[in-house]
Amino acid sequence: MNTILKTTLLVALAISLNADLKAQGISIPQPSSGQTLIQDFGLGKITVKYSRPNTKGRKVFGELEPYGSVWRTGANGATTITFTDNVTLEGQAVPAGDYALFTIPGKTEWTVILNKNTKQWGAYDYKESEDFLRFKVKPGTARDRAETFTIGFTDVLPTKAVMQLAWENVVVPIHMTTDIDAKVMASIDEAMKGDKKPYFQSAIYYLENGKDLNKAMEWMNAADTADGGKSPWVKLWKGRVQLKMGDKKGAAESAAAGIKIATEIKNPEYIRLNTALLADAKK
């Protein structure tokens, strides 16, 4: 029996069993629950769709899921991951698109696989010839035991994040990055040609990404003027730019103004943030 036919029969069997249960008026939860995970990343999104098996008292890696064998990285159909923008996984470039996520567990090293065939049931029809990418990662020991297999994202910053595979006492980190600077800079340049110029947001981007601080200061002043000098958040970020430029006196003045405004409008968050900035400016 060829692999396509086997996959078709497996899927048909699953559909048939569910249909039979519904016809009999029975509602039973799936042994492995499904989850769709959507994570904003850079200027795009990452979507992971997978099923989540449980240990149920079993020893997982090395027994239930043997070392050295391709694993569907979940249950039921192949786990899929979609990138709306180009990313880099563990230093390897990955174009935007849809991929099946497979892994080969090992005691001290795992192989992570992005496969081009996303329409698979489990790893029964997996073909290495359809791989787009393979790379190695080191597994770690989880602080807390995971009964249910879990994929999640940690340390998510504008251009880097860690996707984690966690089950039993094992956690497998996959580091990813994305390059958004060229797109952001182009969008700022274009927006500055319009009537409503994004002074505030653009100045923050310049500050946090090591750009021209003089330009950031110019835009912060423009944002402060446009707002009539009445926003404690503008005062806060203006002060941060000034502090970065070495102007402690100016930063202290901006922070003090921010505290005064935040107090008047009863905004405790910006009282606290501007107070912290004032303390930094006086060091």
Side-chain angles (χ1 to χ4, degrees):
M1 186 182 297
N2 64 46
T3 55
I4 295 176
L5 181 56
K6 284 193 295 183
T7 300
T8 302
L9 289 174
L10 285 169
V11 175
L13 177 60
I15 294 173
S16 176
L17 289 173
N18 286 335
D20 288 344
L21 289 174
K22 289 181 179 179
Q24 296 167 19
I26 301 174
S27 296
I28 299 176
Q30 293 296 314
S32 298
S33 61
Q35 183 178 62
T36 298
L37 182 65
I38 301 176
Q39 175 63 55
D40 292 341
F41 186 51
L43 300 176
K45 295 181 183 297
I46 302 170
T47 301
V48 180
K49 295 181 179 180
Y50 71 114
S51 292
R52 310 178 65 193
N54 293 290
T55 66
K56 297 180 180 179
R58 300 169 294 183
K59 169 64 178 168
V60 177
F61 298 113
E63 293 187 13
L64 179 64
E65 300 300 339
Y67 292 138
S69 297
V70 176
W71 177 41
R72 70 185 81 182
T73 319
N76 301 325
T79 293
T80 61
I81 184 166
T82 299
F83 304 102
T84 60
D85 279 351
N86 298 342
V87 299
T88 299
L89 301 185
E90 296 293 344
Q92 303 294 319
V94 178
D98 301 324
Y99 303 91
L101 177 65
F102 292 99
T103 50
I104 301 176
K107 197 168 187 179
T108 60
E109 186 176 67
W110 280 44
T111 299
V112 178
I113 303 167
L114 294 187
N115 188 272
K116 292 176 284 188
N117 182 2
T118 60
K119 307 298 183 182
Q120 301 185 56
W121 184 265
Y124 300 107
D125 297 336
Y126 165 79
K127 295 184 181 67
E128 186 174 345
S129 61
E130 295 178 323
D131 286 351
F132 171 76
L133 175 68
R134 283 184 171 215
F135 56 87
K136 306 283 190 180
V137 293
K138 297 290 185 183
T141 302
R143 183 178 61 183
D144 299 314
R145 183 180 180 279
E147 165 64 26
T148 306
F149 174 59
T150 301
I151 299 177
F153 290 88
T154 65
D155 302 332
V156 181
L157 299 172
T159 60
K160 60 183 180 180
V162 180
M163 184 171 74
Q164 289 188 339
L165 315 178
W167 200 15
E168 200 178 27
N169 296 314
V170 176
V171 60
V172 180
I174 301 171
H175 296 84
M176 56 182 63
T177 61
T178 186
D179 185 2
I180 63 172
D181 188 63
K183 289 182 179 179
V184 173
M185 293 296 285
S187 68
I188 289 174
D189 290 343
E190 186 63 28
M192 286 299 177
K193 298 175 184 177
D195 294 332
K196 295 183 178 179
K197 295 176 171 55
Y199 292 124
F200 183 56
Q201 296 86 348
S202 300
I204 292 175
Y205 186 81
Y206 266 48
L207 171 64
E208 295 195 324
N209 291 275
K211 305 297 181 181
D212 184 350
L213 289 176
N214 290 316
K215 177 62 71 174
M217 193 69 241
E218 176 188 327
W219 286 342
M220 275 299 176
N221 284 330
D224 200 18
T225 299
D227 198 48
K230 296 180 180 179
S231 295
W233 42 89
V234 175
K235 296 295 186 186
L236 173 70
W237 283 98
K238 179 179 177 178
R240 286 175 174 173
V241 174
Q242 290 168 314
L243 190 59
K244 186 72 172 180
M245 296 177 75
D247 181 8
K248 290 189 174 183
K249 180 181 177 182
E253 291 174 351
S254 294
I259 294 169
K260 183 176 182 297
I261 297 167
T263 301
E264 291 171 352
I265 64 175
K266 298 179 181 179
N267 188 316
E269 178 183 5
Y270 280 92
I271 293 173
R272 175 176 55 81
L273 292 173
N274 277 287
T275 299
L277 174 61
L278 182 59
D280 289 340
K282 289 183 176 181
K283 288 180 181 179

